Amino acid sequence: MPTFAVTAALPGRAPEMLAAAGEVRARADAERLDRADLLALVEGVEVAVTMLYDRVDDELLDAAGPGLRGVSNVAVGFDNIDLAACARRGIVVTNTPGVLDDATADLAFGLVLAATRRLGEGERLIRERRPWRWGMGFMLGHDLRGARLGIVGLGGIGSRVARRGRAFGMEIAYAGRHDSPYAAHLGATRLDLDELLATADVVSLHVPLSAATHHLIDAHELGLMKPTATLVNTARGAVVDEAALVEALRERTIAAAGLDVFENEPEVHPGLLELENVVLVPHLGSATVETRAAMAELAARNAIAVAAGEEPPTPVKLPGAQPTRGDR
Ligand code: DGY
């Protein structure tokens, strides 16, 4: 019987699925394990089921020992995992793509609406009991109908945000390293990143965090955006240079932003907290009861397959590895 280490309590059927397939060593609640407890939990297990905040590096792999066959991350993102270290040791890595696309796209579009229509600002005004009256020029935002939605990374989540944009009458453009298979269906035009930033009314980020995308949106890129444009980030905080974003929002070189993720999560840049033209939510992209259960169940299926020496449903391609059917 394999042993699974599960670093936070999982919802849905995942716990019983894992228990039926092996011995489960699990954190009993949803709180984060501190590093020492995490290293102790993984010692001697075949598969570690990890959260996006668990750093999986040589230290953790050493603590787990030579019997570790796989790391099943309960997230689509895997920037917490040192893929090269896993590849060197022949450890399979899996993630949870697909099942969170709609929930994350809903949240991203919620931020589009909240930021372009100044919902956070309006809410604060009323809650702070500040005086207000309806007026022709009072708290105006910008229309979505006819506006250009620029998606950076038209994959599973990005394409669903685009679909929502289409329903609101937006024109869709995207930037990415390759032509997207979703583009034709969405009537989306591919532009290079600079042109996308210069022409979009709303820019929504959907790229994984890697060395290539770290600070992809920096002061220079923000400087290309229209003064009426809105930036939404539900990907990873470090895709945006947060200090440069504070400056752009403060100087109103862009109109607004909606952020679900932060560069030094859970810390939020103090400059953002002072600004009215940014909507801030605490990494809620996949945070629905149904989606979290689906993520946990997919992670359990991945872990069980790896422990059994089978091809997991959604493997992550490791550096130097041949593509497998699960590559995305
Ligand atoms: C992920 O799965 O990577 C998301 O950020 C979770 O919300």
Side-chain angles (χ1 to χ4, degrees):
M1 288 274 265
T3 304
F4 303 102
V6 184
T7 71
L10 296 177
R13 294 179 45 249
E16 64 193 71
M17 290 163 67
L18 290 167
E23 187 191 320
V24 180
R25 209 187 282 166
R27 163 96 202 185
D29 57 35
E31 292 304 307
R32 285 182 187 207
L33 285 170
D34 68 29
R35 189 72 182 166
D37 290 342
L38 175 65
L39 298 183
L41 188 85
V42 298
E43 193 184 328
V45 304
E46 272 75 31
V47 181
V49 179
T50 52
M51 305 300 130
L52 55 79
Y53 50 74
D54 296 322
R55 189 161 36 82
V56 178
D57 54 7
D58 274 316
E59 182 190 38
L60 183 139
L61 301 177
D62 284 343
L68 188 73
R69 306 174 71 149
V71 174
S72 169
N73 213 35
V74 192
V76 65
F78 43 80
D79 47 286
N80 57 312
I81 300 176
D82 182 340
L83 296 184
C86 291
R88 279 196 300 275
R89 298 169 191 238
I91 291 168
V92 178
V93 176
T94 64
N95 66 339
T96 62
V99 292
L100 45 62
D101 289 354
D102 281 304
T104 308
D106 286 345
L107 195 280
F109 216 80
L111 288 174
V112 171
L113 288 165
T116 57
R117 299 302 300 275
R118 304 171 62 171
L119 300 188
E121 198 181 339
E123 241 250 337
R124 279 190 294 279
L125 177 127
I126 290 191
R127 285 189 185 280
E128 286 164 15
R129 296 182 163 78
R130 281 187 265 148
W132 64 279
R133 274 186 214 287
W134 188 95
M136 280 297 283
F138 176 62
M139 214 173 259
L140 306 187
H142 290 282
D143 279 341
L144 295 184
R145 173 161 297 280
R148 173 175 279 186
L149 173 58
I151 304 281
V152 182
L154 193 67
I157 299 171
S159 64
R160 280 161 178 84
V161 174
R163 205 187 286 169
R164 284 153 180 74
R166 291 259 306 198
F168 279 74
M170 300 183 83
E171 179 219 328
I172 313 299
Y174 75 103
R177 281 185 302 156
H178 310 288
D179 285 338
S180 167
Y182 301 100
H185 178 68
L186 291 162
T189 312
R190 183 170 166 210
L191 302 174
D192 70 40
L193 180 63
D194 286 3
E195 190 180 354
L196 184 97
L197 293 171
T199 60
D201 300 292
V202 176
V203 175
S204 192
L205 304 177
H206 302 287
V207 288
L209 176 61
S210 66
T213 61
H214 183 265
H215 286 192
L216 179 71
I217 307 299
D218 59 10
H220 170 76
E221 302 298 318
L222 288 163
L224 299 174
M225 290 176 67
K226 299 192 208 177
T228 49
T230 291
L231 178 71
V232 167
N233 188 9
T234 54
R236 284 289 183 271
V239 173
V240 177
D241 178 341
E242 219 163 67
L245 177 61
V246 169
E247 208 46 36
L249 289 166
R250 191 181 279 146
E251 296 304 318
R252 305 261 171 182
T253 64
I254 71 170
L259 304 178
D260 183 40
V261 287
F262 303 92
E263 205 171 338
N264 298 306
E265 226 169 281
E267 299 302 316
V268 176
H269 192 296
L272 291 171
L273 301 174
E274 289 164 13
L275 295 170
E276 285 289 7
N277 54 342
V278 59
V279 182
L280 306 167
V281 293
H283 204 150
L284 299 178
S286 64
T288 69
V289 171
E290 299 79 6
T291 293
R292 285 288 161 81
M295 290 166 68
E297 285 165 24
L298 178 52
R301 286 202 287 130
N302 277 321
I304 292 164
V306 171
E310 294 164 7
E311 169 88 347
T314 53
V316 171
K317 187 177 167 195
L318 297 182
Q322 293 304 308
T324 67
R325 72 178 164 79
D327 285 343
R328 281 164 173 79

